[in-house]
Amino acid sequence: MFHGFCPAESGYWNGQGGRKFYHDGVHWDGFASMERDVRAMVADPRWPLTGAPTRADAIARRALATADGVCWLFGAYARWYRLDPDGQWHLSAPPAGSPIRGNTRPVTVPIPYWVVPTGPDFSVDRGSTQAFVGPDVPAEVTERIRALIIAHRGLRREDFPLTGGPFREVFAAEVASTVAAVWGTVMWCAYAPAFDGNEVILSMFGEFLARPLPGDEFVRWLPPVTLTDLVDLYAERCRSGFPDAGLQLAGLMAQTAHVLRADARFRPRATALIAMIEPLLTQPWLDHTALQSGAVAHSWLLRCPANLAAAALSETSPGDHFRHVFYDLVEALAYTAETGADPRQVAAALLAADVAAVSTDAVTYLYPWMDDGIRQALYAALAEPGHTLRDCWPVDGLLPPALTPPDRSTAAALLGAAYATGLAWCELAGATPPTTGFPVAAAVGQCLVHNRDDLPREPTTTPRKRVTETTSDWLYSS
C-alpha cells in the first residue's frame, strides 16, 4: 500500500494517514509539497507493480483544496489537474501566487482512472518551449544537418521524386525528396517552428525553396509539419515499388533526428521519431500491412513508447495537445506573478487576443478543453471591450510594459509557447494560422529584435562568385 510511502529524509509527518508535506524553510507551499510527495511515490519501484485501485486510492488521498474551495491534483504526465464544479477534471497549470499556494489543505476526492500516473508518463522529457528566435540553433547541430543535405541533395530525382503534398508546395520542382525529408524532420521535431529570419538551419535550404517562407526578415512563422506529411515521403516510395528508397528516406529522417536531439527545443519529438523509425530499419516488413491499408502514420505511432507518447500528442489528440501547450504558456508567464498578476488569467487574456484577431468562432471548439476558471476569463476578455484583461493585449504590435519578459531566455520561451498554442488551437478549431504570426507571438518577438545570437554581416561591395555548395556563403553573394 502506498498510503504512507514517502522518503523519510526530508519534510515532516503531519499525522494524516502517514502523509508527509514539505516546507521551503520560509513559506508553506502546498502545491510544491504535494508534487514532491507524488513524485517520490511514483518513482518507487513498487508503483508499476501495484494494482490500479490501490494506485488510484493513493493519488486520491493527495489532492489539495485552495481557500476558494477548488480541488487540485498532481497526476498523469507529471502535471496538475483542476476539478470543475460539474465534476470534470481538466489539465490545468496551478496557481503561481504565494498566498494561494500557501493557503491549501490536503483532501481526499474521487478521481477518474486517466489522471492516475502509470509510471512511464512521469519520465516524460519536456525539452524547451523556446522558439528559434533569440538563441540560435547550436553550430554543431546546423553543420551536421548541412552535411546531411550535401550528402543527399545530389541523389537522382527519378529515384526520390517529390510527387505531391505540402512539401511539393515548399520546394522547387527539381528538388529531390531527400531534401524534403531533412526539412520535414526539422519542422516536425521543433516544439514551435518560429525561426529567426537569419537562422542558419533555415538558410541552408534557401536554394531549394519554390517561394519565400512566411514571415519577414526577422521571424519566419512556419506552418507545422504533421507526421503523416513526413511518413508519406517514405510510403510513396514503398507503394511505388521502391522499398529500398523508402527505407533510405526513413533512415535519413532518423539520422536527422539524432542530430537534432542535441537541442532541447527538438529533443522530445526527435527522440520519439527515432523510436518510431529505428525498428523499421532492422525489420523492413513492419509496415507491410499498414502500407496496404494506408495507415502508415498510425503504425509508426504504435511504435512510440509510453514515456515518449506526449511528444506525439498533436498527432493523436489535438484537444489534449492544446491543453498541454496552453499549460506551457501559463508556465512561461510565471514571471508575471512577481508583479501580483495571475499567470493563468494573463494566459487566457493573451489567448483571447489571438482568437479575436484570427477567428472568434474558434472559442466553440476551445471551451470544452479548458477548466472553468480559464473558460470564464477567455469569455470575459472576448465579450467585454472594457474588461481589465484586455490590458494584457498587445498595442501597436508591442506587449504592455508590465508583461515584458525580464530576459532573453524567458522571452524566447514565451514566444515558443505562444506560437505553439496558436498553432494548436487553430488545428483544433480548423482555423488558418496567420502567415504574419499571431499578434501575441509577434509582439513577444519584438522583445528579441535586439537580443539575438546572429549578427548581420557588414555590407560589402566586393563582387563574389555564387557558390554551388550548400554553405551559408550563398546568402551573401551577389
Side-chain angles (χ1 to χ4, degrees):
M1 299 291 287
F2 281 85
H3 298 333
F5 171 77
C6 201
E9 63 270 14
S10 60
Y12 61 89
W13 293 103
N14 74 344
Q16 298 183 15
R19 282 173 286 175
K20 184 185 288 185
F21 304 102
Y22 296 76
H23 237 274
D24 65 3
V26 179
H27 301 289
W28 159 253
D29 185 335
F31 285 87
S33 172
M34 198 63 75
E35 181 173 332
R36 292 190 189 108
D37 190 36
V38 172
R39 284 187 181 277
M41 183 171 61
V42 177
D44 187 278
R46 295 171 293 172
W47 182 260
L49 306 177
T50 303
T54 301
R55 284 184 289 168
D57 182 66
I59 295 296
R61 291 172 178 271
R62 287 167 171 80
L64 280 179
T66 49
D68 57 3
V70 175
C71 287
W72 296 82
L73 185 82
F74 190 68
Y77 294 105
R79 290 198 144 172
W80 283 92
Y81 297 80
R82 184 183 191 269
L83 181 62
D84 271 1
D86 63 1
Q88 297 296 314
W89 287 92
H90 287 270
L91 182 76
S92 191
S98 296
I100 298 177
R101 294 175 68 90
N103 192 8
T104 60
R105 59 186 176 86
V107 294
T108 300
V109 293
I111 59 174
Y113 73 92
W114 55 267
V115 302
V116 179
T118 60
D121 59 317
F122 256 51
S123 62
V124 61
D125 178 7
R126 296 288 172 195
S128 169
T129 71
Q130 288 186 345
F132 301 90
V133 181
D136 281 351
V137 178
E140 58 270 23
V141 172
T142 57
E143 292 311 306
R144 290 177 65 192
I145 295 294
R146 189 194 309 279
L148 287 174
I149 295 173
I150 291 174
H152 294 88
R153 59 177 291 180
L155 298 181
R156 293 190 343 139
R157 288 187 295 276
E158 294 82 358
D159 296 330
F160 298 95
L162 205 50
T163 56
F167 297 126
R168 186 66 187 82
E169 300 172 5
V170 173
F171 294 105
E174 66 274 10
V175 175
S177 60
T178 48
V179 174
V182 177
W183 168 273
T185 302
V186 171
M187 294 303 134
W188 190 82
C189 292
Y191 172 82
F195 287 82
D196 190 313
N198 291 330
E199 177 57 65
V200 174
I201 206 167
L202 288 191
S203 300
M204 65 179 68
F205 289 96
E207 64 183 284
F208 306 110
L209 300 176
R211 58 181 60 85
L213 297 172
D216 53 37
E217 69 280 359
F218 175 53
V219 182
R220 304 294 189 184
W221 305 106
L222 301 181
V225 168
T226 68
L227 184 65
T228 298
D229 295 335
L230 203 54
V231 166
D232 281 350
L233 294 173
Y234 149 78
E236 185 278 331
R237 290 289 78 201
C238 293
R239 293 194 186 104
S240 298
F242 302 98
D244 289 344
L247 287 173
Q248 189 170 347
L249 286 170
L252 178 56
M253 295 171 197
Q255 286 180 276
T256 305
H258 273 291
V259 174
L260 295 173
R261 286 178 64 185
D263 188 317
R265 294 166 289 186
F266 293 112
R267 188 177 62 236
R269 301 196 98 193
T271 305
L273 187 61
I274 292 166
M276 289 187 270
I277 293 175
E278 288 198 333
L280 178 66
L281 302 181
T282 56
Q283 305 170 74
W285 59 87
L286 286 180
D287 289 337
H288 179 72
T289 302
L291 284 164
Q292 294 177 328
S293 65
V296 182
H298 179 68
S299 177
W300 284 32
L301 287 168
L302 290 176
R303 295 197 289 267
C304 187
N307 65 312
L308 300 174
L313 203 55
S314 61
E315 308 290 340
T316 57
S317 176
D320 285 313
H321 175 62
F322 166 70
R323 280 175 168 165
H324 277 277
V325 294
F326 186 79
Y327 193 116
D328 293 338
L329 179 60
V330 176
E331 290 190 325
L333 287 162
Y335 67 92
T336 63
E338 297 178 4
T339 64
D342 179 357
R344 286 168 44 82
Q345 297 283 302
V346 174
L350 295 181
L351 174 61
D354 283 349
V355 169
V358 179
S359 173
T360 55
D361 293 339
V363 293
T364 303
Y365 300 91
L366 306 186
Y367 284 152
W369 299 95
M370 298 174 169
D371 69 67
D372 190 60
I374 297 298
R375 190 184 305 116
Q376 291 185 25
L378 177 62
Y379 174 81
L382 287 171
E384 302 174 29
H387 200 283
T388 55
L389 285 175
R390 289 205 179 188
D391 294 340
C392 298
W393 288 18
V395 177
D396 297 328
L398 299 174
L399 284 178
L403 294 188
T404 301
D407 52 57
R408 187 180 76 159
S409 61
T410 303
L414 177 57
L415 175 55
Y419 190 55
T421 299
L423 294 177
W425 72 254
C426 280
E427 172 66 19
L428 185 58
T432 301
T435 57
T436 55
F438 297 93
V440 171
V444 178
Q446 292 302 310
C447 302
L448 292 163
V449 171
H450 304 296
N451 201 354
R452 301 150 66 185
D453 284 343
D454 65 300
L455 298 176
R457 294 192 178 190
E458 293 296 328
T460 178
T461 57
T462 305
R464 296 191 183 188
K465 181 180 179 181
R466 183 174 292 276
V467 297
T468 56
E469 283 282 41
T470 315
T471 68
S472 57
D473 292 342
W474 70 271
L475 284 171
Y476 311 103
S477 58
S478 56

